[in-house]
Amino acid sequence: MNLADKINQPVFHHVGNVADSLSRPCYVVGGYVRDIFLHRHSKDIDFVTVGSGIEVAEAVAATLGKGCQAHVFRNFGTAQVKRHDLELEFVGARRESYSRDSRKPIVEDGTLDDDLSRRDFTINAMAICVNAAEFGELIDPFDGLADLDDQLIRTPLDPDVTFSDDPLRMMRAIRFATQLGFSIVPETFDAIARNADRIGIISRERIADELMKIMASPMPSIGWELLAKCGLLIHILPELDAMRGVETVNGRGHKDNFYHTLQVVDNVARKSKNVWLRWAALFHDIAKPVTKRWDAKLGWTFHNHNFIGARMIPRIFRDMRLPMNEKMKYVQKMVELHMRPIALVEDVVTDSAVRRMIFDAADDIDDLMTLCEADITSKNEAKVKRFLDNFALVRRKMTELEERDRIRCFQPPVSGEEIMEIFGLRPCREVGTIKEAIKNAILDGVIPNERAAALELMHDEARRLGLSPVSDTI
């Protein structure tokens, strides 16, 4: 591959010319170089210069024209220049050392070799020169290109030192393996296992960033399985780690809920890019370890695991620093409702039950069906076919009922304010009772979702409660 051609763009020549004018060796490094060989697009470009990266950044910004300036972060010795849709990061080559209880390094000026050796993995420890005399020359002291060809993740130096110094690199190793489909070499993976407890010094926010990237990958199960095998999972999500393994009583076991869950996540990932639906898949059986009981007649049971799991979601999101907003509520709803379609296909698919499911899921009903179809992981092909055929029947009924009854965006035909006005009431229990009676009658198919029928039922229910209208206007 001719690297001079790969970086034969104005931005690289411009930075190289500025660096030459300052007599600074300058290189493109890290992920941008890696992604050239992986044929992946990247708009973020990192430059390392021997000497002050801030000085080069300021000179580059000054020559790019009006409105372009360097954003300097002197505490970190870095600067950023934005130009259209490109983000250019500049830093001086440095060496780092760490104390045992912090991932914040002691930084000193260094050589390019020092800078590349401090990087996390060999595939990220390559550089391409942008100075005119050596434009496009690859510097690859740790055979990162060979590891890219062999699809391997390894550290440039002793992995125990690499991971002890900055434990977030353990998460990054697993994230890269998941995103790229690479393998972590045994000595590197073993070092992760030895240093797993060091993850405790990393902020939950940084861990969550890596987990989000794992969940956005084509096969998220790769990352979660690696997290379990190396011992990181028990530190970052013990509730999921508790799902591993099979317990047997009187020769009867249950499926390994952890591996079942990973299959469900991958099934969802094949159907949807919605990362929060993937989180819902990960957590759909999260309460099974705490609800697991042995019944001599029924075998293993997990009663109400969906409701208990839904109650666990806010605490898990808070602990993991995931967003405590509508995303959490969405996942919570999916966890709580994920048994509803399954209950339907195991019983008679009644219009009433389908209406109530549409009402409760609302605009998320299609996601709920995707999750429930993904939850069918049996090896029994006949059983899988029967369930999927029944789910198809549920979907047909959903379409028919939604067209007829407009349940998905249900608004009561008679509002609480109208009920109070008609019967001269203040907010009280009777108003809620009448509203609930109307809603249930519509969902059960007793009356159509129409105003006239709802008003008639309102008056019947009011008479039952001993109420009389104060006006004949309605």
Side-chain angles (χ1 to χ4, degrees), residues 3 20 37 57 83 110 135 139-140 161 180 201 233 286 313 322 360 384 410 461:
L3 292 180
D20 283 338
F37 295 104
R83 179 67 170 173
F135 190 83
I139 295 88
D140 183 16
V161 175
L180 302 177
I201 71 169
L233 185 62
I286 198 68
I313 294 303
L322 292 171
D360 289 336
V384 171
F410 179 83
E461 188 66 19

Side-chain angles (χ1 to χ4, degrees), residues 411-424:
Q411 295 293 328
V414 181
S415 70
E417 288 76 11
E418 287 180 287
I419 295 170
M420 289 188 286
E421 181 182 351
I422 292 167
F423 296 101

Side-chain angles (χ1 to χ4, degrees), residues 84-157:
H84 303 308
D85 63 339
L86 291 176
E87 291 186 7
L88 314 180
E89 296 276 352
F90 294 84
V91 66
R94 57 193 182 180
R95 65 168 64 94
E96 296 176 346
S97 57
Y98 293 79
S99 62
R100 176 70 186 170
D101 59 352
S102 174
R103 65 178 291 263
K104 294 181 180 179
I106 299 168
V107 178
E108 302 173 284
D109 291 343
T111 65
L112 178 64
D113 284 345
D114 290 330
D115 198 90
L116 295 180
S117 66
R118 73 178 176 82
R119 294 179 180 269
D120 49 10
F121 309 114
T122 60
I123 61 173
N124 295 329
M126 297 182 287
I128 301 173
C129 186
V130 295
N131 299 99
E134 298 172 327
F135 190 83
E137 179 181 320
L138 176 68
I139 295 88
D140 183 16
F142 302 104
D143 292 326
L145 189 55
D147 284 342
L148 273 180
D149 289 340
D150 295 335
Q151 300 186 328
L152 297 175
I153 305 290
R154 77 170 81 237
T155 59
L157 303 179

Side-chain angles (χ1 to χ4, degrees), residues 315-359:
R315 177 183 56 77
I316 291 174
F317 266 55
R318 186 165 52 251
D319 289 348
M320 296 181 66
R321 304 299 191 271
L322 292 171
M324 299 295 293
N325 56 17
E326 70 280 356
K327 305 301 184 185
M328 182 274 289
K329 293 176 182 177
Y330 167 88
V331 171
Q332 188 176 31
K333 179 166 74 170
M334 291 293 105
V335 171
E336 180 174 336
L337 296 180
H338 83 270
M339 295 296 291
R340 291 279 284 278
I342 294 172
L344 283 177
V345 302
E346 290 178 338
D347 204 346
V348 177
V349 184
T350 65
D351 287 1
S352 174
V354 174
R355 281 194 201 92
R356 288 187 174 277
M357 185 177 72
I358 296 172
F359 175 79

